[in-house]
């Protein structure tokens, strides 16, 4: 299918990178729809019937989990910077209007479909982005590193006690119980998660609507790491890497260094959790805290590799660019498709599949957005939710 010619100001490789990020997010979101939430990070909790399931978990932890979310945050930061620099009148006011509408879309998304919606966190973090617009790319790199440090420091405060308790054999403390209920195989907690995943549509809306404020408080904890990705994306745009103005060898070298620094540590963390039997304390600390700097580095490696090898005239690049230009719509539509597969009001496959089967089913929404995006752009231009976002923000500003 023919691909629309992008307007002259678009960098098609940047759109393609955004499309790659959307697809990568689906590879992890499928577990949030298919399995109890404890199993999202922990393979022994549920759905690990065969060695293939453990292998899928290991590949996901090392190469996918939080790498594509970070990549998406990078694209979000770069996109916001482009708009802030391009707007001739009231750029900051228009930016805040876009963030207000985005958090409203995210709340609706989280109530109706996805417990792990990222739009709310991005919108809240995005409120701070105008304060960084005037910084140089070097200063933005430093800010990104600082936000990673804030995230890791806060995570150590939250998970440090549970890790120490695990090695000391103190399994009945509040910290240990919290970790095991949320990241371990605590049977009552897993049964409760299975019950929630099987509720009907009305029950879900009622429960999630009553809990919006506490959900936003939880989302606020992701703001530092989201800002790390966003300011890194801003830095890479100002440094012209995301504008594809670096030499290919320079981008390849950045990718190689970033991968060499991150992959050994991620492999070591995966071994550490598996060797200890996947206790909740180690799984929570590894997945959410200790891996964060290395997730960011590997996401940077992916960005550099993509910008080095994407070609504006290439078929794959053009296809991914179509997915990326409809990133908001496609992100939401993948949730619609995953809900249709796993929710009780759809095919009801929640809790009925293994991890490897869930991963295989993730290619259903990926195939759908890959097929429909070029068609929609050719005939309608902007995506439906991009249009709603733009028009609503314009009215609000």
């Amino acid at each position: 299918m023919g691909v629309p010619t992008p307007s002259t100001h678009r960098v098609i490789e940047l759109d393609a990178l955004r499309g790659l990020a959307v697809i990568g997010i689906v590879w992890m979101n499928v577990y949030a729809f298919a399995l109890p939430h404890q199993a999202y990070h922990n393979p022994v909790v549920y759905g690990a019937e065969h060695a293939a399931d453990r292998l899928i978990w290991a590949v996901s932890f090392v190469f996918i989990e939080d790498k594509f979310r970070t990549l998406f945050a990078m694209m979000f930061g770069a996109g916001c910077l482009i708009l802030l620099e391009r707007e001739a009148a009231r750029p900051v006011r228009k930016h805040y209007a876009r963030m207000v509408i985005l958090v409203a879309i995210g709340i609706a998304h989280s109530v109706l479909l996805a417990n792990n919606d990222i739009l709310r966190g991005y919108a809240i973090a995005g409120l701070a982005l105008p304060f960084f617009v005037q910084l140089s790319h070097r200063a933005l790199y430093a800010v990104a590193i600082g936000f990673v440090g804030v995230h890791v420091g806060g995570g150590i405060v939250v998970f440090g006690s549970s890790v120490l308790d695990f090695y000391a054999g103190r399994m009945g403390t509040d910290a240990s119980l919290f970790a095991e209920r949320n990241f371990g195989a605590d049977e009552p907690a897993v049964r409760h998660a299975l019950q929630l995943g099987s509720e009907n549509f009305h029950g879900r809306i009622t429960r999630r609507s009553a809990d919006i404020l506490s959900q936003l408080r939880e989302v606020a904890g992701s703001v530092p790491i989201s800002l790390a990705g966003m300011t890194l994306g801003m830095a890479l745009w100002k440094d012209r890497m995301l504008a594809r103005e670096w030499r290919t060898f320079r981008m390849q070298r950045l990718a190689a260094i970033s991968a060499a620094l991150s992959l050994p540590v991620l492999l070591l963390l995966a071994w550490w959790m598996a060797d200890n039997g996947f206790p909740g304390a180690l799984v929570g600390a590894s997945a959410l805290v200790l891996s964060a700097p290395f997730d960011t580095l590997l996401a940077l490696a992916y960005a550099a590799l993509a910008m080095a090898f994407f070609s504006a005239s290439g078929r794959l690049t053009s296809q991914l660019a179509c997915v990326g230009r409809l990133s908001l719509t496609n992100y939401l539509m993948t949730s619609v498709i995953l809900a249709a597969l796993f929710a009780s009001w759809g095919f009801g496959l929640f809790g009925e599949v293994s991890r490897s089967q869930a991963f295989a089913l993730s290619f259903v929404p990926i195939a759908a957005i890959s097929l429909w995006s070029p068609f929609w752009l050719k005939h309608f231009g902007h995506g439906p939710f991009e249009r709603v976002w733009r028009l609503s923000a314009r009215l609000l500003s």
Side-chain angles (χ1 to χ4, degrees), residues 94-128:
K94 291 177 182 178
H95 172 79
Y96 284 137
R98 287 191 290 269
M99 295 304 102
V100 170
I101 298 302
L102 187 62
V103 77
I105 294 173
I107 289 172
H109 181 227
S110 69
V111 169
L112 297 174
L113 296 170
N115 295 345
N116 63 331
D117 166 78
I118 62 174
L119 300 179
R120 297 162 298 168
Y122 281 16
I124 294 170
L127 296 174

PDB file of all heavy atoms in Angstrom, residues 94-128:
ATOM      1  N   LYS A  94      -0.205  26.566  24.967  1.00  0.00           N
ATOM      2  CA  LYS A  94      -0.693  25.496  24.103  1.00  0.00           C
ATOM      3  C   LYS A  94      -0.161  24.137  24.566  1.00  0.00           C
ATOM      4  O   LYS A  94      -0.868  23.130  24.514  1.00  0.00           O
ATOM      5  CB  LYS A  94      -0.283  25.771  22.664  1.00  0.00           C
ATOM      6  CG  LYS A  94      -0.993  26.967  22.044  1.00  0.00           C
ATOM      7  CD  LYS A  94      -0.497  27.238  20.635  1.00  0.00           C
ATOM      8  CE  LYS A  94      -1.186  28.462  20.037  1.00  0.00           C
ATOM      9  NZ  LYS A  94      -0.670  28.772  18.682  1.00  0.00           N
ATOM     10  N   HIS A  95       1.086  24.132  25.025  1.00  0.00           N
ATOM     11  CA  HIS A  95       1.664  22.880  25.531  1.00  0.00           C
ATOM     12  C   HIS A  95       0.891  22.388  26.747  1.00  0.00           C
ATOM     13  O   HIS A  95       0.544  21.195  26.827  1.00  0.00           O
ATOM     14  CB  HIS A  95       3.125  23.103  25.901  1.00  0.00           C
ATOM     15  CG  HIS A  95       3.761  21.939  26.601  1.00  0.00           C
ATOM     16  ND1 HIS A  95       4.211  20.820  25.941  1.00  0.00           N
ATOM     17  CD2 HIS A  95       3.987  21.711  27.934  1.00  0.00           C
ATOM     18  CE1 HIS A  95       4.692  19.948  26.818  1.00  0.00           C
ATOM     19  NE2 HIS A  95       4.575  20.466  28.028  1.00  0.00           N
ATOM     20  N   TYR A  96       0.598  23.282  27.687  1.00  0.00           N
ATOM     21  CA  TYR A  96      -0.142  22.871  28.877  1.00  0.00           C
ATOM     22  C   TYR A  96      -1.550  22.405  28.527  1.00  0.00           C
ATOM     23  O   TYR A  96      -2.078  21.472  29.139  1.00  0.00           O
ATOM     24  CB  TYR A  96      -0.183  24.004  29.897  1.00  0.00           C
ATOM     25  CG  TYR A  96       1.121  24.179  30.647  1.00  0.00           C
ATOM     26  CD1 TYR A  96       1.654  25.443  30.882  1.00  0.00           C
ATOM     27  CD2 TYR A  96       1.823  23.077  31.111  1.00  0.00           C
ATOM     28  CE1 TYR A  96       2.851  25.604  31.566  1.00  0.00           C
ATOM     29  CE2 TYR A  96       3.025  23.223  31.792  1.00  0.00           C
ATOM     30  CZ  TYR A  96       3.530  24.482  32.014  1.00  0.00           C
ATOM     31  OH  TYR A  96       4.721  24.626  32.678  1.00  0.00           O
ATOM     32  N   ALA A  97      -2.155  23.023  27.537  1.00  0.00           N
ATOM     33  CA  ALA A  97      -3.477  22.573  27.095  1.00  0.00           C
ATOM     34  C   ALA A  97      -3.394  21.150  26.559  1.00  0.00           C
ATOM     35  O   ALA A  97      -4.266  20.310  26.844  1.00  0.00           O
ATOM     36  CB  ALA A  97      -4.019  23.518  26.028  1.00  0.00           C
ATOM     37  N   ARG A  98      -2.345  20.868  25.793  1.00  0.00           N
ATOM     38  CA  ARG A  98      -2.171  19.505  25.278  1.00  0.00           C
ATOM     39  C   ARG A  98      -1.983  18.506  26.404  1.00  0.00           C
ATOM     40  O   ARG A  98      -2.510  17.382  26.349  1.00  0.00           O
ATOM     41  CB  ARG A  98      -0.977  19.452  24.318  1.00  0.00           C
ATOM     42  CG  ARG A  98      -1.229  20.116  22.966  1.00  0.00           C
ATOM     43  CD  ARG A  98      -0.127  19.804  21.972  1.00  0.00           C
ATOM     44  NE  ARG A  98       1.132  20.464  22.314  1.00  0.00           N
ATOM     45  CZ  ARG A  98       1.499  21.660  21.883  1.00  0.00           C
ATOM     46  NH1 ARG A  98       0.707  22.357  21.081  1.00  0.00           N
ATOM     47  NH2 ARG A  98       2.672  22.182  22.219  1.00  0.00           N
ATOM     48  N   MET A  99      -1.246  18.884  27.465  1.00  0.00           N
ATOM     49  CA  MET A  99      -1.021  17.964  28.578  1.00  0.00           C
ATOM     50  C   MET A  99      -2.309  17.719  29.375  1.00  0.00           C
ATOM     51  O   MET A  99      -2.569  16.598  29.828  1.00  0.00           O
ATOM     52  CB  MET A  99       0.066  18.518  29.508  1.00  0.00           C
ATOM     53  CG  MET A  99       1.453  18.628  28.873  1.00  0.00           C
ATOM     54  SD  MET A  99       2.111  17.088  28.166  1.00  0.00           S
ATOM     55  CE  MET A  99       1.806  17.367  26.404  1.00  0.00           C
ATOM     56  N   VAL A 100      -3.129  18.749  29.535  1.00  0.00           N
ATOM     57  CA  VAL A 100      -4.402  18.588  30.251  1.00  0.00           C
ATOM     58  C   VAL A 100      -5.310  17.619  29.494  1.00  0.00           C
ATOM     59  O   VAL A 100      -5.921  16.716  30.086  1.00  0.00           O
ATOM     60  CB  VAL A 100      -5.093  19.951  30.445  1.00  0.00           C
ATOM     61  CG1 VAL A 100      -6.526  19.766  30.954  1.00  0.00           C
ATOM     62  CG2 VAL A 100      -4.308  20.809  31.428  1.00  0.00           C
ATOM     63  N   ILE A 101      -5.406  17.800  28.194  1.00  0.00           N
ATOM     64  CA  ILE A 101      -6.240  16.893  27.393  1.00  0.00           C
ATOM     65  C   ILE A 101      -5.662  15.477  27.418  1.00  0.00           C
ATOM     66  O   ILE A 101      -6.405  14.490  27.510  1.00  0.00           O
ATOM     67  CB  ILE A 101      -6.348  17.394  25.947  1.00  0.00           C
ATOM     68  CG1 ILE A 101      -7.020  18.765  25.912  1.00  0.00           C
ATOM     69  CG2 ILE A 101      -7.122  16.402  25.090  1.00  0.00           C
ATOM     70  CD1 ILE A 101      -8.397  18.812  26.526  1.00  0.00           C
ATOM     71  N   LEU A 102      -4.340  15.366  27.378  1.00  0.00           N
ATOM     72  CA  LEU A 102      -3.714  14.045  27.384  1.00  0.00           C
ATOM     73  C   LEU A 102      -3.978  13.306  28.682  1.00  0.00           C
ATOM     74  O   LEU A 102      -4.223  12.090  28.669  1.00  0.00           O
ATOM     75  CB  LEU A 102      -2.215  14.169  27.139  1.00  0.00           C
ATOM     76  CG  LEU A 102      -1.460  12.848  26.946  1.00  0.00           C
ATOM     77  CD1 LEU A 102      -1.983  12.107  25.717  1.00  0.00           C
ATOM     78  CD2 LEU A 102       0.046  13.096  26.821  1.00  0.00           C
ATOM     79  N   VAL A 103      -3.931  14.005  29.802  1.00  0.00           N
ATOM     80  CA  VAL A 103      -4.199  13.310  31.066  1.00  0.00           C
ATOM     81  C   VAL A 103      -5.661  12.879  31.128  1.00  0.00           C
ATOM     82  O   VAL A 103      -5.979  11.806  31.674  1.00  0.00           O
ATOM     83  CB  VAL A 103      -3.819  14.193  32.283  1.00  0.00           C
ATOM     84  CG1 VAL A 103      -4.844  15.270  32.558  1.00  0.00           C
ATOM     85  CG2 VAL A 103      -3.628  13.333  33.528  1.00  0.00           C
ATOM     86  N   ALA A 104      -6.558  13.646  30.524  1.00  0.00           N
ATOM     87  CA  ALA A 104      -7.967  13.240  30.477  1.00  0.00           C
ATOM     88  C   ALA A 104      -8.130  11.983  29.615  1.00  0.00           C
ATOM     89  O   ALA A 104      -8.864  11.054  29.989  1.00  0.00           O
ATOM     90  CB  ALA A 104      -8.817  14.381  29.925  1.00  0.00           C
ATOM     91  N   ILE A 105      -7.441  11.945  28.476  1.00  0.00           N
ATOM     92  CA  ILE A 105      -7.488  10.744  27.632  1.00  0.00           C
ATOM     93  C   ILE A 105      -6.910   9.556  28.392  1.00  0.00           C
ATOM     94  O   ILE A 105      -7.449   8.438  28.346  1.00  0.00           O
ATOM     95  CB  ILE A 105      -6.709  10.982  26.321  1.00  0.00           C
ATOM     96  CG1 ILE A 105      -7.407  12.047  25.467  1.00  0.00           C
ATOM     97  CG2 ILE A 105      -6.580   9.683  25.524  1.00  0.00           C
ATOM     98  CD1 ILE A 105      -6.612  12.471  24.241  1.00  0.00           C
ATOM     99  N   GLY A 106      -5.810   9.786  29.106  1.00  0.00           N
ATOM    100  CA  GLY A 106      -5.185   8.714  29.866  1.00  0.00           C
ATOM    101  C   GLY A 106      -6.082   8.181  30.971  1.00  0.00           C
ATOM    102  O   GLY A 106      -6.126   6.969  31.210  1.00  0.00           O
ATOM    103  N   ILE A 107      -6.785   9.067  31.654  1.00  0.00           N
ATOM    104  CA  ILE A 107      -7.704   8.620  32.707  1.00  0.00           C
ATOM    105  C   ILE A 107      -8.816   7.763  32.113  1.00  0.00           C
ATOM    106  O   ILE A 107      -9.152   6.695  32.645  1.00  0.00           O
ATOM    107  CB  ILE A 107      -8.279   9.834  33.465  1.00  0.00           C
ATOM    108  CG1 ILE A 107      -7.195  10.479  34.332  1.00  0.00           C
ATOM    109  CG2 ILE A 107      -9.470   9.419  34.328  1.00  0.00           C
ATOM    110  CD1 ILE A 107      -7.608  11.788  34.968  1.00  0.00           C
ATOM    111  N   ALA A 108      -9.393   8.218  31.006  1.00  0.00           N
ATOM    112  CA  ALA A 108     -10.434   7.422  30.347  1.00  0.00           C
ATOM    113  C   ALA A 108      -9.889   6.064  29.908  1.00  0.00           C
ATOM    114  O   ALA A 108     -10.546   5.026  30.082  1.00  0.00           O
ATOM    115  CB  ALA A 108     -10.983   8.197  29.148  1.00  0.00           C
ATOM    116  N   HIS A 109      -8.679   6.060  29.368  1.00  0.00           N
ATOM    117  CA  HIS A 109      -8.040   4.816  28.933  1.00  0.00           C
ATOM    118  C   HIS A 109      -7.832   3.869  30.110  1.00  0.00           C
ATOM    119  O   HIS A 109      -8.090   2.662  30.013  1.00  0.00           O
ATOM    120  CB  HIS A 109      -6.705   5.163  28.263  1.00  0.00           C
ATOM    121  CG  HIS A 109      -5.956   3.989  27.746  1.00  0.00           C
ATOM    122  ND1 HIS A 109      -4.599   3.809  27.975  1.00  0.00           N
ATOM    123  CD2 HIS A 109      -6.348   2.913  27.008  1.00  0.00           C
ATOM    124  CE1 HIS A 109      -4.203   2.698  27.393  1.00  0.00           C
ATOM    125  NE2 HIS A 109      -5.233   2.130  26.799  1.00  0.00           N
ATOM    126  N   SER A 110      -7.376   4.405  31.240  1.00  0.00           N
ATOM    127  CA  SER A 110      -7.105   3.558  32.406  1.00  0.00           C
ATOM    128  C   SER A 110      -8.391   3.018  33.026  1.00  0.00           C
ATOM    129  O   SER A 110      -8.400   1.902  33.558  1.00  0.00           O
ATOM    130  CB  SER A 110      -6.302   4.345  33.449  1.00  0.00           C
ATOM    131  OG  SER A 110      -7.092   5.365  34.029  1.00  0.00           O
ATOM    132  N   VAL A 111      -9.457   3.790  32.996  1.00  0.00           N
ATOM    133  CA  VAL A 111     -10.733   3.337  33.559  1.00  0.00           C
ATOM    134  C   VAL A 111     -11.370   2.278  32.667  1.00  0.00           C
ATOM    135  O   VAL A 111     -11.840   1.239  33.140  1.00  0.00           O
ATOM    136  CB  VAL A 111     -11.695   4.531  33.763  1.00  0.00           C
ATOM    137  CG1 VAL A 111     -13.108   4.044  34.090  1.00  0.00           C
ATOM    138  CG2 VAL A 111     -11.187   5.439  34.881  1.00  0.00           C
ATOM    139  N   LEU A 112     -11.366   2.506  31.368  1.00  0.00           N
ATOM    140  CA  LEU A 112     -12.081   1.626  30.452  1.00  0.00           C
ATOM    141  C   LEU A 112     -11.300   0.376  30.066  1.00  0.00           C
ATOM    142  O   LEU A 112     -11.890  -0.699  29.911  1.00  0.00           O
ATOM    143  CB  LEU A 112     -12.441   2.394  29.177  1.00  0.00           C
ATOM    144  CG  LEU A 112     -13.391   3.578  29.340  1.00  0.00           C
ATOM    145  CD1 LEU A 112     -13.533   4.332  28.026  1.00  0.00           C
ATOM    146  CD2 LEU A 112     -14.758   3.112  29.835  1.00  0.00           C
ATOM    147  N   LEU A 113      -9.957   0.509  29.930  1.00  0.00           N
ATOM    148  CA  LEU A 113      -9.221  -0.581  29.303  1.00  0.00           C
ATOM    149  C   LEU A 113      -7.966  -1.018  30.031  1.00  0.00           C
ATOM    150  O   LEU A 113      -7.808  -2.196  30.341  1.00  0.00           O
ATOM    151  CB  LEU A 113      -8.845  -0.173  27.860  1.00  0.00           C
ATOM    152  CG  LEU A 113     -10.004   0.069  26.889  1.00  0.00           C
ATOM    153  CD1 LEU A 113      -9.481   0.688  25.595  1.00  0.00           C
ATOM    154  CD2 LEU A 113     -10.725  -1.241  26.599  1.00  0.00           C
ATOM    155  N   ALA A 114      -7.020  -0.099  30.259  1.00  0.00           N
ATOM    156  CA  ALA A 114      -5.653  -0.496  30.615  1.00  0.00           C
ATOM    157  C   ALA A 114      -5.260  -0.013  31.998  1.00  0.00           C
ATOM    158  O   ALA A 114      -5.174   1.198  32.234  1.00  0.00           O
ATOM    159  CB  ALA A 114      -4.663   0.048  29.575  1.00  0.00           C
ATOM    160  N   ASN A 115      -4.968  -0.951  32.908  1.00  0.00           N
ATOM    161  CA  ASN A 115      -4.496  -0.564  34.240  1.00  0.00           C
ATOM    162  C   ASN A 115      -3.148   0.140  34.177  1.00  0.00           C
ATOM    163  O   ASN A 115      -2.834   0.976  35.016  1.00  0.00           O
ATOM    164  CB  ASN A 115      -4.355  -1.802  35.128  1.00  0.00           C
ATOM    165  CG  ASN A 115      -5.688  -2.478  35.396  1.00  0.00           C
ATOM    166  OD1 ASN A 115      -6.742  -1.904  35.165  1.00  0.00           O
ATOM    167  ND2 ASN A 115      -5.635  -3.705  35.869  1.00  0.00           N
ATOM    168  N   ASN A 116      -2.342  -0.215  33.173  1.00  0.00           N
ATOM    169  CA  ASN A 116      -0.966   0.290  33.108  1.00  0.00           C
ATOM    170  C   ASN A 116      -0.813   1.435  32.106  1.00  0.00           C
ATOM    171  O   ASN A 116       0.238   1.596  31.485  1.00  0.00           O
ATOM    172  CB  ASN A 116      -0.007  -0.850  32.755  1.00  0.00           C
ATOM    173  CG  ASN A 116      -0.283  -1.429  31.380  1.00  0.00           C
ATOM    174  OD1 ASN A 116      -1.423  -1.408  30.911  1.00  0.00           O
ATOM    175  ND2 ASN A 116       0.743  -1.958  30.736  1.00  0.00           N
ATOM    176  N   ASP A 117      -1.853   2.231  31.946  1.00  0.00           N
ATOM    177  CA  ASP A 117      -1.799   3.375  31.026  1.00  0.00           C
ATOM    178  C   ASP A 117      -0.589   4.258  31.328  1.00  0.00           C
ATOM    179  O   ASP A 117      -0.306   4.570  32.486  1.00  0.00           O
ATOM    180  CB  ASP A 117      -3.080   4.209  31.167  1.00  0.00           C
ATOM    181  CG  ASP A 117      -2.957   5.560  30.511  1.00  0.00           C
ATOM    182  OD1 ASP A 117      -3.064   5.623  29.276  1.00  0.00           O
ATOM    183  OD2 ASP A 117      -2.717   6.547  31.241  1.00  0.00           O
ATOM    184  N   ILE A 118       0.120   4.693  30.281  1.00  0.00           N
ATOM    185  CA  ILE A 118       1.294   5.546  30.458  1.00  0.00           C
ATOM    186  C   ILE A 118       1.010   7.000  30.136  1.00  0.00           C
ATOM    187  O   ILE A 118       1.829   7.869  30.436  1.00  0.00           O
ATOM    188  CB  ILE A 118       2.484   5.066  29.608  1.00  0.00           C
ATOM    189  CG1 ILE A 118       2.146   5.117  28.111  1.00  0.00           C
ATOM    190  CG2 ILE A 118       2.925   3.673  30.025  1.00  0.00           C
ATOM    191  CD1 ILE A 118       3.311   4.788  27.208  1.00  0.00           C
ATOM    192  N   LEU A 119      -0.154   7.287  29.538  1.00  0.00           N
ATOM    193  CA  LEU A 119      -0.433   8.653  29.102  1.00  0.00           C
ATOM    194  C   LEU A 119      -0.563   9.611  30.279  1.00  0.00           C
ATOM    195  O   LEU A 119      -0.137  10.772  30.200  1.00  0.00           O
ATOM    196  CB  LEU A 119      -1.712   8.684  28.258  1.00  0.00           C
ATOM    197  CG  LEU A 119      -1.691   7.826  26.985  1.00  0.00           C
ATOM    198  CD1 LEU A 119      -3.037   7.929  26.268  1.00  0.00           C
ATOM    199  CD2 LEU A 119      -0.559   8.249  26.065  1.00  0.00           C
ATOM    200  N   ARG A 120      -1.138   9.125  31.387  1.00  0.00           N
ATOM    201  CA  ARG A 120      -1.295   9.996  32.556  1.00  0.00           C
ATOM    202  C   ARG A 120       0.070  10.431  33.091  1.00  0.00           C
ATOM    203  O   ARG A 120       0.293  11.619  33.369  1.00  0.00           O
ATOM    204  CB  ARG A 120      -2.076   9.265  33.660  1.00  0.00           C
ATOM    205  CG  ARG A 120      -3.490   8.878  33.288  1.00  0.00           C
ATOM    206  CD  ARG A 120      -4.036   7.812  34.228  1.00  0.00           C
ATOM    207  NE  ARG A 120      -3.241   6.589  34.152  1.00  0.00           N
ATOM    208  CZ  ARG A 120      -3.335   5.565  35.006  1.00  0.00           C
ATOM    209  NH1 ARG A 120      -4.216   5.640  36.001  1.00  0.00           N
ATOM    210  NH2 ARG A 120      -2.587   4.500  34.871  1.00  0.00           N
ATOM    211  N   GLY A 121       0.986   9.474  33.207  1.00  0.00           N
ATOM    212  CA  GLY A 121       2.316   9.804  33.702  1.00  0.00           C
ATOM    213  C   GLY A 121       3.066  10.712  32.755  1.00  0.00           C
ATOM    214  O   GLY A 121       3.769  11.633  33.190  1.00  0.00           O
ATOM    215  N   TYR A 122       2.917  10.491  31.449  1.00  0.00           N
ATOM    216  CA  TYR A 122       3.588  11.339  30.478  1.00  0.00           C
ATOM    217  C   TYR A 122       3.046  12.767  30.534  1.00  0.00           C
ATOM    218  O   TYR A 122       3.798  13.735  30.420  1.00  0.00           O
ATOM    219  CB  TYR A 122       3.403  10.776  29.069  1.00  0.00           C
ATOM    220  CG  TYR A 122       4.313   9.617  28.747  1.00  0.00           C
ATOM    221  CD1 TYR A 122       4.991   8.916  29.743  1.00  0.00           C
ATOM    222  CD2 TYR A 122       4.496   9.199  27.441  1.00  0.00           C
ATOM    223  CE1 TYR A 122       5.815   7.856  29.448  1.00  0.00           C
ATOM    224  CE2 TYR A 122       5.331   8.133  27.127  1.00  0.00           C
ATOM    225  CZ  TYR A 122       5.974   7.460  28.140  1.00  0.00           C
ATOM    226  OH  TYR A 122       6.793   6.413  27.847  1.00  0.00           O
ATOM    227  N   ALA A 123       1.723  12.890  30.676  1.00  0.00           N
ATOM    228  CA  ALA A 123       1.123  14.220  30.729  1.00  0.00           C
ATOM    229  C   ALA A 123       1.563  14.977  31.979  1.00  0.00           C
ATOM    230  O   ALA A 123       1.876  16.175  31.918  1.00  0.00           O
ATOM    231  CB  ALA A 123      -0.400  14.105  30.694  1.00  0.00           C
ATOM    232  N   ILE A 124       1.604  14.287  33.121  1.00  0.00           N
ATOM    233  CA  ILE A 124       2.035  14.940  34.367  1.00  0.00           C
ATOM    234  C   ILE A 124       3.497  15.337  34.262  1.00  0.00           C
ATOM    235  O   ILE A 124       3.885  16.469  34.599  1.00  0.00           O
ATOM    236  CB  ILE A 124       1.795  14.006  35.566  1.00  0.00           C
ATOM    237  CG1 ILE A 124       0.287  13.781  35.767  1.00  0.00           C
ATOM    238  CG2 ILE A 124       2.407  14.600  36.839  1.00  0.00           C
ATOM    239  CD1 ILE A 124      -0.043  12.694  36.765  1.00  0.00           C
ATOM    240  N   ALA A 125       4.338  14.415  33.782  1.00  0.00           N
ATOM    241  CA  ALA A 125       5.754  14.739  33.605  1.00  0.00           C
ATOM    242  C   ALA A 125       5.932  15.850  32.572  1.00  0.00           C
ATOM    243  O   ALA A 125       6.804  16.720  32.710  1.00  0.00           O
ATOM    244  CB  ALA A 125       6.528  13.494  33.178  1.00  0.00           C
ATOM    245  N   GLY A 126       5.094  15.831  31.545  1.00  0.00           N
ATOM    246  CA  GLY A 126       5.203  16.819  30.479  1.00  0.00           C
ATOM    247  C   GLY A 126       4.978  18.250  30.936  1.00  0.00           C
ATOM    248  O   GLY A 126       5.420  19.193  30.265  1.00  0.00           O
ATOM    249  N   LEU A 127       4.324  18.426  32.073  1.00  0.00           N
ATOM    250  CA  LEU A 127       4.110  19.775  32.592  1.00  0.00           C
ATOM    251  C   LEU A 127       5.430  20.479  32.899  1.00  0.00           C
ATOM    252  O   LEU A 127       5.503  21.706  32.886  1.00  0.00           O
ATOM    253  CB  LEU A 127       3.244  19.717  33.859  1.00  0.00           C
ATOM    254  CG  LEU A 127       1.811  19.196  33.686  1.00  0.00           C
ATOM    255  CD1 LEU A 127       1.135  19.066  35.046  1.00  0.00           C
ATOM    256  CD2 LEU A 127       1.005  20.124  32.775  1.00  0.00           C
ATOM    257  N   ALA A 128       6.475  19.712  33.165  1.00  0.00           N
ATOM    258  CA  ALA A 128       7.768  20.311  33.517  1.00  0.00           C
ATOM    259  C   ALA A 128       8.627  20.628  32.292  1.00  0.00           C
ATOM    260  O   ALA A 128       9.622  21.349  32.409  1.00  0.00           O
ATOM    261  CB  ALA A 128       8.541  19.357  34.438  1.00  0.00           C
TER     262      ALA A 128
END
